Structure formats: C-alpha cells, structure tokens
C-alpha cells in the first residue's frame, strides 16, 4: 500500500534513489530484512523514503536543509513567535497576528527544480530533496515567470 503510483504500480522500481531490491529485502537499501520487518529494514529507511516522496514531509526537510533561508538571495523571513520568548499570552497573540500578516507576503516557498506537474497530493519522485530548493516569495515569483516566458 505504500509507495504506490496513481496507476497502482509501485514507485520504488522507478525511483533513482532506491536500491534495486528483491523479495525479502529492504525496499529502500536492499539490506536483508530483520524478522518482523516487511518493507523497510529500519525506521530510518522508511523515513528517508517518505521524506523524499511525500510533499508535506519533503517541503519541511528542504527548508531545514536550506536553513530556513532563500537559497538565491539569502533572505530569512521572520520565524513563528514562540510562546516562551514572548512572555504574556496577550503579547504572544499579538506577535502571532503580526507574524501571520507578514507571512502572506514574506515567507519561504519550495520550488521543484524539475516541475512536479501538480503531483503535490501524491507520492512522487519529483519530491526528491535534490529536486527541491527553498526560495523567498520574490525569488520564487521571478523563477516562475521565467518558466512561463521561456
Ligand atoms: Zn533499509
Ligand atoms: Zn530570495
Ligand atoms: Zn523516488
């Protein structure tokens, strides 16, 4: 049930990151499966698969990898206010409101280097971390309009 393409075929045989596997080996690294493991030899292999194929996880991992900055211009949008740092509840709520407002125009977006053709909702090899880059709104807009123009 994991790693299925929309056409019902497995994603793993076409995935360039996965090792070629056989029956009874880890679907990611092809190591011998320990007893009671059926797909991945370790949580780590499963996590790596999901992080590179499921959009919400891939997006978070790409931002982490790029240290929450735009890789083009280095811009770092304000981070979500933390409850601890802001002190009182009222201050925290005000900070959250201000942050949400800023976020509409000043946030990080993740760009697919090779376009993903709307595959955000499905497991897809276009979400490999190597295909993702973190951009600020302004740089992303420049990038996207360059694609449209070309
Ligand atoms: Zn493995
Ligand atoms: Zn930028
Ligand atoms: Zn893949």
């Amino acid at each position: 049930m994991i790693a299925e393409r929309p056409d019902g075929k497995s994603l793993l045989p076409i995935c360039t990151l996965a090792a070629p596997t056989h029956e009874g080996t880890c679907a990611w690294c092809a190591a011998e499966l320990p007893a009671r493991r059926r797909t991945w030899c370790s949580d780590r292999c499963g996590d790596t698969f999901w992080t590179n194929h499921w959009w919400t996880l891939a997006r978070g991992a790409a931002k982490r990898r790029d240290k929450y900055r735009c890789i083009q211009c280095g811009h770092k949008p304000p981070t979500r206010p933390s409850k601890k740092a802001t002190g009182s509840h009222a201050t925290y709520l005000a900070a959250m409101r201000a942050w949400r407002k800023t976020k509409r125009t000043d946030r990080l977006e993740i760009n697919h280097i090779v376009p993903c053709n709307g595959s955000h909702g499905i497991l897809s090899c276009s979400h490999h971390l190597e295909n993702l880059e973190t951009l600020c709104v302004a740089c992303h807009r420049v990038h996207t309009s360059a694609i449209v123009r070309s």
Side-chain angles (χ1 to χ4, degrees), residues 70-75 134-140:
C70 171
I71 59 146
Q72 296 272 341
C73 71
H75 177 66
T134 306
L135 296 176
C136 69
V137 174
C139 290
H140 200 190

Side-chain angles (χ1 to χ4, degrees), residues 11 15-17 52-53 124-125 128:
L11 197 63
C15 181
T16 50
L17 300 178
N52 279 281
H53 295 88
S124 164
C125 283
H128 287 177

Side-chain angles (χ1 to χ4, degrees), residues 4-140:
E4 296 270 303
R5 288 191 269 164
D7 58 7
K9 292 191 184 133
S10 173
L11 197 63
L12 287 156
I14 58 153
C15 181
T16 50
L17 300 178
T21 59
H22 319 277
E23 201 75 51
T25 62
C26 172
W28 190 252
C29 73
E32 206 67 43
L33 284 177
R36 282 176 310 177
R37 289 259 179 194
R38 297 184 57 191
T39 310
W40 320 111
C41 68
S42 60
D43 289 346
R44 200 170 164 198
C45 279
D47 289 349
T48 310
F49 169 78
W50 281 96
T51 305
N52 279 281
H53 295 88
W54 186 246
W55 175 233
T56 35
L57 293 173
R59 188 174 52 185
K63 281 190 201 170
R64 238 184 340 271
R65 180 201 59 195
D66 295 333
K67 304 199 165 46
Y68 302 93
R69 283 165 198 280
C70 171
I71 59 146
Q72 296 272 341
C73 71
H75 177 66
K76 193 174 183 183
T79 45
R80 189 194 172 95
S82 87
K83 241 177 193 152
K84 266 193 218 126
T86 40
S88 83
H89 192 60
T91 332
Y92 169 70
L93 288 182
M96 273 304 281
R97 252 195 315 276
W99 175 73
R100 278 206 202 92
K101 202 170 156 203
T102 316
K103 204 160 71 100
R104 275 181 233 150
T105 50
D106 188 4
R107 62 175 182 273
L108 292 174
E109 298 183 331
I110 304 299
N111 180 52
H112 285 86
I113 297 166
V114 177
C116 75
N117 298 320
S119 63
H120 292 103
I122 56 164
L123 282 169
S124 164
C125 283
S126 59
H127 307 320
H128 287 177
L129 278 178
E130 59 187 17
N131 191 38
L132 303 179
E133 56 187 11
T134 306
L135 296 176
C136 69
V137 174
C139 290
H140 200 190

